[in-house]
Amino acid sequence: MGPHGTKVGLLRVLGPAHVWALGVGIVLVGEYMGWNFAVGKGGAYAALIACWFAGILYTCVAMIDSEVTSTVAAAGGQYTQAKHIVGPLMAFNVGLYLVFAYTMLEAANAITAGYLISVVATMTGYTGELDQRPFIILVIMFLAWLNYRGVLATLTFNLVITAIAFAAIIMLFLSTSGILGGGIMQHAALFEGHELPYGWIGVLASMHFGLWYYLGIEGTTQAAEEVRSPARALPFGTLAGIMTLLIAATLTWYICSGVLPWEFLGDGVNGSVAPLFDTARLSGSNALIWFLGFGTLFATLASANGCINDASRAWFAMGRDKYLPAWFGAVHPKYRTPYRAIIFLVPIALIFALGAPLDQVITFSILSGLLEYTFMPLNIILFRKKWPMGSIKRGYEHPFHPLPAIVLLTLCGITFFAVFLGYGTQLVAMIGFYIVVSLWFHFRRYRYVDRGAQFTMPWPKPQGY
């Protein structure tokens, strides 16, 4: 008998490679689509600067997460961290940030998969206008079914298709740069006179979509209750993941900006929706076009698959602790998955995938993630203060504390301002939404939460208490 009447728990069957596949699999689609909106905001060089600054931000996220989650090894990731270290109201909000960030990212992936299928249909001779909606629904339903059936199969599938999608980026770089065969890149000609078309304010504005290169790497924490060795697998998989993404993001920018004009690259409506695939189409190689077509499709499937996994774990953990109705805290008796949470989030993803523009869905995901990252500096500072080094066993100790927390908080503040420049109304509306649900939790839901029962870590009393 588990907590709150749960009869069975999640299976501990995952290793470091699965953690890597979960983190990189969610994010790699950001190399295939979405990041190019940053080019439209400030030009190609601005997108590169945003890529590297966002890389610093997410390196801080990965280091902080690796320390706390390898120590707080339970489903829910940052939500579980918040309930142990900060308090219930923060935990509730962080749980919602996680669910919305991953569910919106899942919707964006489904939209991209539908677009890609329509492009492939046109390339193979289809002359009419293909309805993308059935394919969007099929992608979400199939991956929800896969998650329903078990985490080992889900993340093994992610491991294979993520590796193929990453290999496709490497192959495109080798082919278009001239290392293998003739190169087609012409950075100097494409950049001449357009280095920073909107000046430094464009660089600032591009930080908004610069996050898309890495958004979701923090999702590795959601596997904490299903890995065989949290102290080893979570830090190794997360840090290897951010290293992989830094390489993939830089290569992606270099490939696409050297082949596609920045005006086309940055226009996600009438220009490039899938820039790596569009670059391959200009290579003149049918084999490369098909490889990048499959790479794009696999990246979207891996990301959507990981998003369903992570969003459902956060929703499940909140239900198990009665932050949400306890009905969501159930585990399937045969497949050992949080099946009710998986099923409940499917229609929400479908509503946004079928009824919202891609850039709006991406912005919703980015804003929810950004709110989550803003919580992390406070979380790690309180964690180190309440349980100093040596007081509890840590699976990983991130270096240079508190510098990563300070850098992360500073970059989050800059990115909030960047988002405000382009999507101020949506930013204010989202913050208003989270304030309203916080009030609902405080006045209506908190009475059901058993604060003592949810503190599950065998730690000594916090320093000073």
Side-chain angles (χ1 to χ4, degrees):
M1 181 72 70
H4 309 304
T6 304
K7 295 184 179 180
V8 291
L10 303 175
L11 284 173
R12 289 195 177 275
V13 292
L14 304 178
H18 295 102
V19 176
W20 176 90
L22 178 61
V24 176
I26 288 177
V27 185
L28 200 62
V29 71
E31 273 62 31
Y32 279 89
M33 66 90 178
W35 70 269
N36 51 308
F37 289 113
V39 178
K41 293 290 183 181
Y45 276 133
L48 178 62
I49 296 170
C51 168
W52 286 342
F53 273 98
I56 295 171
L57 185 155
Y58 278 91
T59 299
C60 295
V61 167
M63 291 195 301
I64 291 171
D65 259 349
S66 292
E67 174 170 332
V68 184
T69 308
S70 63
T71 311
V72 187
Q78 291 81 9
Y79 153 76
T80 305
Q81 298 173 22
K83 76 174 186 179
H84 281 86
I85 299 168
V86 183
L89 184 59
M90 176 64 81
F92 175 76
N93 276 277
V94 170
L96 289 185
Y97 301 157
L98 291 166
V99 171
F100 278 109
Y102 295 130
T103 304
M104 294 306 103
L105 180 51
E106 175 192 344
N109 292 323
I111 293 170
T112 304
Y115 162 79
L116 182 65
I117 291 169
S118 69
V119 171
V120 171
T122 303
M123 291 171 58
T124 54
Y126 184 82
T127 55
E129 185 176 348
L130 187 68
D131 188 353
Q132 299 176 19
R133 290 174 295 180
F135 298 102
I136 291 173
I137 295 171
L138 181 63
V139 165
I140 292 176
M141 296 297 292
F142 167 71
L143 295 176
W145 170 82
L146 187 63
N147 275 268
Y148 184 97
R149 291 295 299 265
V151 70
L152 184 60
T154 297
L155 294 189
T156 301
F157 174 71
N158 249 39
L159 179 60
V160 174
I161 62 177
T162 299
I164 294 172
F166 181 67
I169 297 176
I170 301 295
M171 183 57 68
L172 184 62
F173 166 71
L174 294 174
S175 301
T176 56
S177 63
I179 296 175
L180 295 179
I184 61 172
M185 294 184 182
Q186 43 184 337
H187 291 90
L190 291 174
F191 289 2
E192 186 175 1
H194 304 290
E195 287 80 5
L196 290 174
Y198 306 124
W200 287 100
I201 193 68
V203 175
L204 178 60
S206 67
M207 273 296 293
H208 173 189
F209 290 105
L211 298 190
W212 204 245
Y213 284 109
Y214 313 96
L215 182 70
I217 183 63
E218 71 282 357
T220 55
T221 62
Q222 297 299 328
E225 204 167 312
E226 295 165 282
V227 292
R228 292 187 293 270
S229 175
R232 173 177 173 268
L234 290 170
F236 185 87
T238 303
L239 296 174
I242 190 63
M243 294 175 192
T244 304
L245 293 170
L246 287 166
I247 295 169
T250 304
L251 286 180
T252 296
W253 176 89
Y254 183 78
I255 294 165
C256 296
S257 64
V259 177
L260 302 175
W262 76 273
E263 299 92 340
F264 175 80
L265 184 58
D267 187 349
V269 179
N270 300 310
S272 181
V273 173
L276 284 168
F277 181 60
D278 290 336
T279 301
R281 292 168 71 183
L282 295 177
S283 68
S285 168
N286 286 331
L288 198 59
I289 292 171
W290 281 104
F291 194 14
L292 267 294
F294 280 112
T296 307
L297 180 61
F298 287 168
T300 58
L301 293 177
S303 183
N305 195 34
C307 286
I308 294 172
N309 180 91
D310 287 354
S312 62
R313 267 61 182 178
W315 198 258
F316 156 79
M318 294 172 74
R320 186 170 62 179
D321 295 329
K322 296 187 179 179
Y323 282 62
L324 296 172
W327 184 82
F328 292 114
V331 175
H332 195 284
K334 179 179 179 182
Y335 302 124
R336 307 284 287 273
T337 55
Y339 67 108
R340 290 176 181 169
I342 292 169
I343 294 170
F344 176 78
L345 294 173
V346 166
I348 299 174
L350 286 172
I351 289 170
F352 282 91
L354 296 172
L358 180 60
D359 67 327
Q360 293 286 336
V361 174
I362 290 174
T363 298
F364 201 158
S365 180
I366 287 173
L367 284 173
S368 296
L370 195 58
L371 288 166
E372 173 200 341
Y373 308 145
T374 308
F375 138 80
M376 289 184 184
L378 171 65
N379 188 52
I380 188 63
I381 289 171
L382 286 177
F383 183 54
R384 285 285 185 99
K385 182 179 179 181
K386 290 182 175 181
W387 292 278
M389 304 297 288
S391 61
I392 57 175
K393 185 178 180 181
R394 288 164 162 83
Y396 168 80
E397 299 172 2
H398 83 279
F400 311 120
H401 180 77
L403 184 59
I406 295 170
V407 171
L408 177 56
L409 189 60
T410 302
L411 290 174
C412 284
I414 293 171
T415 310
F416 270 119
F417 184 65
V419 173
F420 181 78
L421 291 177
Y423 294 83
T425 302
Q426 193 169 350
L427 174 60
V428 172
M430 279 196 61
I431 292 176
F433 165 76
Y434 283 119
I435 290 173
V436 169
V437 294
S438 295
L439 292 173
W440 171 83
F441 175 77
H442 178 75
F443 289 107
R444 300 301 298 267
R445 188 68 208 175
Y446 182 63
R447 71 186 71 170
Y448 299 104
V449 176
D450 186 347
R451 183 81 175 113
Q454 65 171 299
F455 194 90
T456 56
M457 301 307 299
W459 296 344
K461 285 187 176 181
Q463 192 84 13
Y465 286 78

Short mmCIF file of all heavy atoms in Angstrom, two decimals, residues 36-94:
data_model
loop_
_atom_site.label_atom_id
_atom_site.label_comp_id
_atom_site.label_asym_id
_atom_site.label_seq_id
_atom_site.Cartn_x
_atom_site.Cartn_y
_atom_site.Cartn_z
N ASN A 36 14.17 29.60 -34.97
CA ASN A 36 14.36 30.56 -36.07
C ASN A 36 13.50 31.81 -35.91
O ASN A 36 13.76 32.81 -36.57
CB ASN A 36 14.07 29.89 -37.42
CG ASN A 36 12.75 29.17 -37.46
OD1 ASN A 36 12.45 28.34 -36.59
ND2 ASN A 36 11.94 29.46 -38.45
N PHE A 37 12.49 31.78 -35.03
CA PHE A 37 11.77 33.02 -34.73
C PHE A 37 12.72 34.06 -34.14
O PHE A 37 12.48 35.27 -34.25
CB PHE A 37 10.62 32.76 -33.77
CG PHE A 37 9.46 31.99 -34.38
CD1 PHE A 37 9.18 30.70 -33.96
CD2 PHE A 37 8.68 32.54 -35.37
CE1 PHE A 37 8.12 29.99 -34.51
CE2 PHE A 37 7.62 31.84 -35.94
CZ PHE A 37 7.35 30.55 -35.50
N ALA A 38 13.79 33.61 -33.48
CA ALA A 38 14.78 34.54 -32.94
C ALA A 38 15.47 35.32 -34.05
O ALA A 38 15.84 36.49 -33.87
CB ALA A 38 15.82 33.77 -32.11
N VAL A 39 15.66 34.70 -35.22
CA VAL A 39 16.25 35.40 -36.37
C VAL A 39 15.34 36.53 -36.82
O VAL A 39 15.81 37.62 -37.14
CB VAL A 39 16.50 34.40 -37.52
CG1 VAL A 39 17.08 35.12 -38.73
CG2 VAL A 39 17.44 33.29 -37.07
N GLY A 40 14.04 36.28 -36.84
CA GLY A 40 13.10 37.32 -37.21
C GLY A 40 13.09 38.49 -36.25
O GLY A 40 12.82 39.63 -36.64
N LYS A 41 13.40 38.22 -34.98
CA LYS A 41 13.41 39.30 -33.98
C LYS A 41 14.64 40.19 -34.08
O LYS A 41 14.56 41.39 -33.80
CB LYS A 41 13.35 38.70 -32.57
CG LYS A 41 12.05 38.01 -32.23
CD LYS A 41 10.93 39.01 -32.08
CE LYS A 41 9.62 38.34 -31.67
NZ LYS A 41 8.53 39.31 -31.55
N GLY A 42 15.81 39.61 -34.48
CA GLY A 42 17.01 40.44 -34.43
C GLY A 42 18.05 40.14 -35.48
O GLY A 42 19.13 40.74 -35.46
N GLY A 43 17.76 39.21 -36.40
CA GLY A 43 18.75 38.85 -37.40
C GLY A 43 19.54 37.62 -36.99
O GLY A 43 19.42 37.11 -35.87
N ALA A 44 20.38 37.13 -37.91
CA ALA A 44 21.09 35.87 -37.69
C ALA A 44 22.09 35.96 -36.55
O ALA A 44 22.17 35.05 -35.71
CB ALA A 44 21.78 35.44 -38.99
N TYR A 45 22.87 37.04 -36.49
CA TYR A 45 23.85 37.15 -35.41
C TYR A 45 23.16 37.26 -34.05
O TYR A 45 23.65 36.73 -33.05
CB TYR A 45 24.76 38.36 -35.64
CG TYR A 45 25.92 38.10 -36.56
CD1 TYR A 45 26.23 38.96 -37.60
CD2 TYR A 45 26.72 36.96 -36.40
CE1 TYR A 45 27.29 38.72 -38.47
CE2 TYR A 45 27.78 36.70 -37.24
CZ TYR A 45 28.07 37.59 -38.28
OH TYR A 45 29.12 37.32 -39.12
N ALA A 46 22.05 37.95 -34.01
CA ALA A 46 21.30 38.07 -32.75
C ALA A 46 20.84 36.70 -32.28
O ALA A 46 20.87 36.40 -31.08
CB ALA A 46 20.10 39.00 -32.94
N ALA A 47 20.42 35.86 -33.23
CA ALA A 47 19.99 34.50 -32.87
C ALA A 47 21.15 33.69 -32.31
O ALA A 47 20.96 32.88 -31.40
CB ALA A 47 19.39 33.80 -34.09
N LEU A 48 22.36 33.90 -32.84
CA LEU A 48 23.53 33.18 -32.31
C LEU A 48 23.85 33.64 -30.89
O LEU A 48 24.13 32.82 -30.01
CB LEU A 48 24.74 33.41 -33.22
CG LEU A 48 26.05 32.76 -32.75
CD1 LEU A 48 25.91 31.24 -32.68
CD2 LEU A 48 27.21 33.15 -33.66
N ILE A 49 23.81 34.96 -30.66
CA ILE A 49 24.06 35.48 -29.31
C ILE A 49 23.01 34.93 -28.34
O ILE A 49 23.34 34.51 -27.22
CB ILE A 49 24.05 37.02 -29.33
CG1 ILE A 49 25.21 37.54 -30.19
CG2 ILE A 49 24.14 37.58 -27.91
CD1 ILE A 49 25.16 39.04 -30.47
N ALA A 50 21.75 34.92 -28.78
CA ALA A 50 20.69 34.37 -27.94
C ALA A 50 20.91 32.89 -27.66
O ALA A 50 20.67 32.40 -26.55
CB ALA A 50 19.33 34.58 -28.61
N CYS A 51 21.41 32.17 -28.68
CA CYS A 51 21.70 30.74 -28.51
C CYS A 51 22.71 30.52 -27.40
O CYS A 51 22.52 29.64 -26.55
CB CYS A 51 22.22 30.19 -29.84
SG CYS A 51 22.95 28.55 -29.75
N TRP A 52 23.76 31.30 -27.38
CA TRP A 52 24.82 31.09 -26.39
C TRP A 52 24.42 31.58 -25.00
O TRP A 52 24.74 30.94 -23.99
CB TRP A 52 26.10 31.76 -26.86
CG TRP A 52 26.76 31.00 -27.99
CD1 TRP A 52 26.53 29.70 -28.34
CD2 TRP A 52 27.75 31.49 -28.89
NE1 TRP A 52 27.32 29.34 -29.42
CE2 TRP A 52 28.07 30.41 -29.78
CE3 TRP A 52 28.39 32.71 -29.07
CZ2 TRP A 52 29.00 30.55 -30.80
CZ3 TRP A 52 29.32 32.83 -30.09
CH2 TRP A 52 29.62 31.77 -30.95
N PHE A 53 23.72 32.70 -24.92
CA PHE A 53 23.27 33.16 -23.60
C PHE A 53 22.22 32.21 -23.03
O PHE A 53 22.21 31.94 -21.83
CB PHE A 53 22.73 34.60 -23.69
CG PHE A 53 23.80 35.63 -23.52
CD1 PHE A 53 24.37 36.25 -24.62
CD2 PHE A 53 24.25 35.98 -22.26
CE1 PHE A 53 25.37 37.20 -24.47
CE2 PHE A 53 25.26 36.93 -22.09
CZ PHE A 53 25.81 37.54 -23.21
N ALA A 54 21.33 31.74 -23.89
CA ALA A 54 20.37 30.74 -23.42
C ALA A 54 21.08 29.46 -23.00
O ALA A 54 20.67 28.79 -22.06
CB ALA A 54 19.35 30.44 -24.52
N GLY A 55 22.18 29.13 -23.69
CA GLY A 55 22.98 27.97 -23.31
C GLY A 55 23.56 28.12 -21.91
O GLY A 55 23.59 27.15 -21.13
N ILE A 56 24.00 29.34 -21.57
CA ILE A 56 24.49 29.59 -20.20
C ILE A 56 23.36 29.41 -19.21
O ILE A 56 23.52 28.79 -18.15
CB ILE A 56 25.10 31.01 -20.11
CG1 ILE A 56 26.34 31.12 -21.00
CG2 ILE A 56 25.46 31.34 -18.66
CD1 ILE A 56 26.87 32.54 -21.13
N LEU A 57 22.18 29.98 -19.54
CA LEU A 57 21.02 29.87 -18.66
C LEU A 57 20.70 28.40 -18.37
O LEU A 57 20.53 27.99 -17.22
CB LEU A 57 19.82 30.58 -19.30
CG LEU A 57 18.52 30.70 -18.51
CD1 LEU A 57 17.71 31.91 -19.03
CD2 LEU A 57 17.63 29.46 -18.61
N TYR A 58 20.67 27.60 -19.42
CA TYR A 58 20.27 26.20 -19.24
C TYR A 58 21.38 25.35 -18.64
O TYR A 58 21.10 24.31 -18.03
CB TYR A 58 19.78 25.61 -20.56
CG TYR A 58 18.35 25.98 -20.84
CD1 TYR A 58 18.03 27.13 -21.56
CD2 TYR A 58 17.31 25.20 -20.36
CE1 TYR A 58 16.71 27.48 -21.80
CE2 TYR A 58 16.00 25.54 -20.58
CZ TYR A 58 15.70 26.68 -21.31
OH TYR A 58 14.39 27.02 -21.52
N THR A 59 22.62 25.76 -18.80
CA THR A 59 23.71 25.06 -18.10
C THR A 59 23.55 25.25 -16.59
O THR A 59 23.73 24.31 -15.81
CB THR A 59 25.07 25.60 -18.57
OG1 THR A 59 25.21 25.36 -19.98
CG2 THR A 59 26.21 24.90 -17.83
N CYS A 60 23.18 26.46 -16.19
CA CYS A 60 22.90 26.72 -14.76
C CYS A 60 21.71 25.88 -14.29
O CYS A 60 21.74 25.29 -13.21
CB CYS A 60 22.61 28.20 -14.53
SG CYS A 60 24.01 29.30 -14.84
N VAL A 61 20.66 25.82 -15.12
CA VAL A 61 19.49 25.00 -14.79
C VAL A 61 19.89 23.54 -14.61
O VAL A 61 19.50 22.88 -13.64
CB VAL A 61 18.42 25.13 -15.89
CG1 VAL A 61 17.35 24.04 -15.74
CG2 VAL A 61 17.76 26.50 -15.86
N ALA A 62 20.70 23.02 -15.53
CA ALA A 62 21.10 21.61 -15.48
C ALA A 62 21.93 21.32 -14.24
O ALA A 62 21.74 20.28 -13.59
CB ALA A 62 21.87 21.24 -16.75
N MET A 63 22.86 22.21 -13.90
CA MET A 63 23.70 21.98 -12.72
C MET A 63 22.88 22.02 -11.44
O MET A 63 23.03 21.16 -10.56
CB MET A 63 24.82 23.02 -12.68
CG MET A 63 25.87 22.85 -13.76
SD MET A 63 27.39 23.80 -13.45
CE MET A 63 26.75 25.47 -13.36
N ILE A 64 22.01 23.02 -11.32
CA ILE A 64 21.19 23.14 -10.12
C ILE A 64 20.25 21.95 -9.99
O ILE A 64 20.11 21.33 -8.92
CB ILE A 64 20.41 24.47 -10.13
CG1 ILE A 64 21.38 25.64 -9.96
CG2 ILE A 64 19.33 24.49 -9.06
CD1 ILE A 64 20.75 27.01 -10.17
N ASP A 65 19.59 21.62 -11.09
CA ASP A 65 18.66 20.48 -11.07
C ASP A 65 19.37 19.17 -10.72
O ASP A 65 18.82 18.33 -10.01
CB ASP A 65 18.00 20.34 -12.44
CG ASP A 65 16.60 20.91 -12.47
OD1 ASP A 65 16.06 21.22 -11.38
OD2 ASP A 65 16.03 21.06 -13.56
N SER A 66 20.58 19.00 -11.23
CA SER A 66 21.29 17.75 -10.99
C SER A 66 21.58 17.56 -9.51
O SER A 66 21.50 16.44 -8.99
CB SER A 66 22.60 17.73 -11.79
OG SER A 66 22.35 17.66 -13.17
N GLU A 67 21.91 18.64 -8.82
CA GLU A 67 22.17 18.52 -7.39
C GLU A 67 20.91 18.21 -6.61
O GLU A 67 20.86 17.27 -5.81
CB GLU A 67 22.81 19.80 -6.84
CG GLU A 67 22.95 19.74 -5.32
CD GLU A 67 23.78 20.86 -4.73
OE1 GLU A 67 24.66 21.39 -5.43
OE2 GLU A 67 23.54 21.21 -3.55
N VAL A 68 19.85 19.01 -6.84
CA VAL A 68 18.66 18.88 -6.00
C VAL A 68 17.90 17.60 -6.31
O VAL A 68 17.48 16.87 -5.41
CB VAL A 68 17.75 20.11 -6.16
CG1 VAL A 68 16.57 20.01 -5.20
CG2 VAL A 68 18.52 21.40 -5.88
N THR A 69 17.75 17.27 -7.60
CA THR A 69 16.93 16.11 -7.95
C THR A 69 17.63 14.80 -7.65
O THR A 69 16.96 13.80 -7.34
CB THR A 69 16.54 16.16 -9.44
OG1 THR A 69 15.96 17.43 -9.72
CG2 THR A 69 15.52 15.09 -9.76
N SER A 70 18.95 14.76 -7.74
CA SER A 70 19.63 13.53 -7.36
C SER A 70 19.54 13.28 -5.86
O SER A 70 19.83 12.18 -5.38
CB SER A 70 21.11 13.59 -7.79
OG SER A 70 21.79 14.63 -7.10
N THR A 71 19.11 14.30 -5.12
CA THR A 71 18.94 14.19 -3.67
C THR A 71 17.46 14.00 -3.31
O THR A 71 17.12 13.20 -2.45
CB THR A 71 19.48 15.45 -2.97
OG1 THR A 71 20.79 15.73 -3.48
CG2 THR A 71 19.56 15.26 -1.47
N VAL A 72 16.57 14.75 -4.00
CA VAL A 72 15.12 14.61 -3.82
C VAL A 72 14.62 13.71 -4.94
O VAL A 72 14.06 14.17 -5.93
CB VAL A 72 14.41 15.98 -3.87
CG1 VAL A 72 12.93 15.84 -3.50
CG2 VAL A 72 15.08 16.98 -2.95
N ALA A 73 14.83 12.43 -4.82
CA ALA A 73 14.58 11.50 -5.93
C ALA A 73 13.14 10.98 -5.90
O ALA A 73 12.87 9.87 -5.47
CB ALA A 73 15.56 10.33 -5.87
N ALA A 74 12.20 11.83 -6.35
CA ALA A 74 10.80 11.44 -6.40
C ALA A 74 10.14 12.06 -7.62
O ALA A 74 10.61 13.07 -8.15
CB ALA A 74 10.07 11.88 -5.12
N ALA A 75 9.06 11.45 -8.09
CA ALA A 75 8.35 11.96 -9.27
C ALA A 75 7.86 13.38 -9.00
O ALA A 75 7.53 13.75 -7.87
CB ALA A 75 7.17 11.05 -9.60
N GLY A 76 7.80 14.17 -10.06
CA GLY A 76 7.35 15.56 -9.92
C GLY A 76 8.43 16.56 -10.19
O GLY A 76 8.15 17.74 -10.40
N GLY A 77 9.69 16.13 -10.15
CA GLY A 77 10.78 17.04 -10.48
C GLY A 77 10.82 18.28 -9.62
O GLY A 77 10.86 18.21 -8.38
N GLN A 78 10.77 19.44 -10.27
CA GLN A 78 10.87 20.72 -9.55
C GLN A 78 9.70 20.93 -8.60
O GLN A 78 9.84 21.60 -7.58
CB GLN A 78 10.96 21.87 -10.55
CG GLN A 78 12.26 21.91 -11.34
CD GLN A 78 12.25 20.95 -12.51
OE1 GLN A 78 11.23 20.37 -12.84
NE2 GLN A 78 13.39 20.80 -13.15
N TYR A 79 8.54 20.36 -8.93
CA TYR A 79 7.41 20.44 -7.99
C TYR A 79 7.77 19.78 -6.67
O TYR A 79 7.53 20.33 -5.58
CB TYR A 79 6.18 19.77 -8.61
CG TYR A 79 5.22 19.24 -7.59
CD1 TYR A 79 4.37 20.09 -6.88
CD2 TYR A 79 5.18 17.87 -7.27
CE1 TYR A 79 3.51 19.60 -5.91
CE2 TYR A 79 4.33 17.37 -6.31
CZ TYR A 79 3.50 18.24 -5.62
OH TYR A 79 2.66 17.76 -4.65
N THR A 80 8.35 18.58 -6.74
CA THR A 80 8.73 17.86 -5.53
C THR A 80 9.83 18.59 -4.78
O THR A 80 9.84 18.63 -3.54
CB THR A 80 9.18 16.44 -5.89
OG1 THR A 80 8.14 15.79 -6.63
CG2 THR A 80 9.47 15.63 -4.65
N GLN A 81 10.77 19.18 -5.51
CA GLN A 81 11.78 20.01 -4.86
C GLN A 81 11.13 21.14 -4.07
O GLN A 81 11.48 21.41 -2.91
CB GLN A 81 12.72 20.60 -5.91
CG GLN A 81 13.50 19.59 -6.72
CD GLN A 81 14.28 20.26 -7.84
OE1 GLN A 81 14.56 21.46 -7.79
NE2 GLN A 81 14.62 19.49 -8.87
N ALA A 82 10.18 21.83 -4.70
CA ALA A 82 9.56 23.01 -4.07
C ALA A 82 8.79 22.63 -2.81
O ALA A 82 8.83 23.36 -1.81
CB ALA A 82 8.63 23.70 -5.07
N LYS A 83 8.10 21.51 -2.82
CA LYS A 83 7.30 21.15 -1.64
C LYS A 83 8.19 20.78 -0.46
O LYS A 83 7.81 20.98 0.70
CB LYS A 83 6.31 20.03 -1.97
CG LYS A 83 6.93 18.65 -2.06
CD LYS A 83 5.87 17.58 -2.24
CE LYS A 83 6.52 16.19 -2.19
NZ LYS A 83 5.54 15.11 -2.33
N HIS A 84 9.39 20.25 -0.73
CA HIS A 84 10.30 19.90 0.34
C HIS A 84 11.11 21.10 0.85
O HIS A 84 11.48 21.15 2.02
CB HIS A 84 11.27 18.81 -0.12
CG HIS A 84 10.69 17.44 -0.12
ND1 HIS A 84 9.97 16.94 -1.18
CD2 HIS A 84 10.70 16.45 0.81
CE1 HIS A 84 9.58 15.71 -0.90
NE2 HIS A 84 10.01 15.38 0.30
N ILE A 85 11.41 22.03 -0.05
CA ILE A 85 12.38 23.08 0.29
C ILE A 85 11.73 24.43 0.54
O ILE A 85 12.11 25.15 1.46
CB ILE A 85 13.43 23.19 -0.83
CG1 ILE A 85 14.19 21.86 -0.97
CG2 ILE A 85 14.41 24.33 -0.57
CD1 ILE A 85 15.03 21.76 -2.22
N VAL A 86 10.73 24.81 -0.27
CA VAL A 86 10.15 26.16 -0.18
C VAL A 86 8.82 26.15 0.55
O VAL A 86 8.65 26.78 1.58
CB VAL A 86 10.00 26.79 -1.58
CG1 VAL A 86 9.47 28.22 -1.46
CG2 VAL A 86 11.33 26.79 -2.33
N GLY A 87 7.82 25.44 0.00
CA GLY A 87 6.52 25.42 0.65
C GLY A 87 5.41 25.06 -0.31
O GLY A 87 5.61 24.98 -1.52
N PRO A 88 4.18 24.85 0.20
CA PRO A 88 3.08 24.34 -0.61
C PRO A 88 2.66 25.27 -1.75
O PRO A 88 2.41 24.80 -2.86
CB PRO A 88 1.94 24.17 0.40
CG PRO A 88 2.60 24.10 1.73
CD PRO A 88 3.82 24.94 1.63
N LEU A 89 2.52 26.57 -1.50
CA LEU A 89 2.05 27.47 -2.55
C LEU A 89 3.04 27.51 -3.72
O LEU A 89 2.64 27.47 -4.89
CB LEU A 89 1.84 28.88 -1.99
CG LEU A 89 1.25 29.89 -2.98
CD1 LEU A 89 -0.11 29.42 -3.50
CD2 LEU A 89 1.11 31.27 -2.31
N MET A 90 4.32 27.57 -3.41
CA MET A 90 5.33 27.55 -4.47
C MET A 90 5.27 26.21 -5.21
O MET A 90 5.36 26.17 -6.45
CB MET A 90 6.71 27.78 -3.88
CG MET A 90 7.85 27.66 -4.91
SD MET A 90 7.76 28.91 -6.20
CE MET A 90 8.50 30.31 -5.33
N ALA A 91 5.12 25.12 -4.48
CA ALA A 91 5.06 23.80 -5.11
C ALA A 91 3.89 23.70 -6.07
O ALA A 91 4.02 23.18 -7.19
CB ALA A 91 4.96 22.71 -4.04
N PHE A 92 2.73 24.19 -5.66
CA PHE A 92 1.55 24.14 -6.52
C PHE A 92 1.80 24.91 -7.82
O PHE A 92 1.49 24.42 -8.92
CB PHE A 92 0.34 24.72 -5.78
CG PHE A 92 -0.90 24.82 -6.62
CD1 PHE A 92 -1.65 23.69 -6.92
CD2 PHE A 92 -1.31 26.04 -7.13
CE1 PHE A 92 -2.79 23.78 -7.71
CE2 PHE A 92 -2.45 26.14 -7.92
CZ PHE A 92 -3.20 25.00 -8.19
N ASN A 93 2.35 26.10 -7.71
CA ASN A 93 2.60 26.91 -8.90
C ASN A 93 3.65 26.26 -9.80
O ASN A 93 3.50 26.21 -11.02
CB ASN A 93 3.05 28.31 -8.51
CG ASN A 93 1.88 29.23 -8.22
OD1 ASN A 93 1.29 29.81 -9.11
ND2 ASN A 93 1.54 29.35 -6.94
N VAL A 94 4.72 25.75 -9.21
CA VAL A 94 5.77 25.11 -10.01
C VAL A 94 5.20 23.89 -10.73
O VAL A 94 5.53 23.64 -11.90
CB VAL A 94 6.97 24.74 -9.12
CG1 VAL A 94 7.94 23.84 -9.88
CG2 VAL A 94 7.68 25.98 -8.64
#
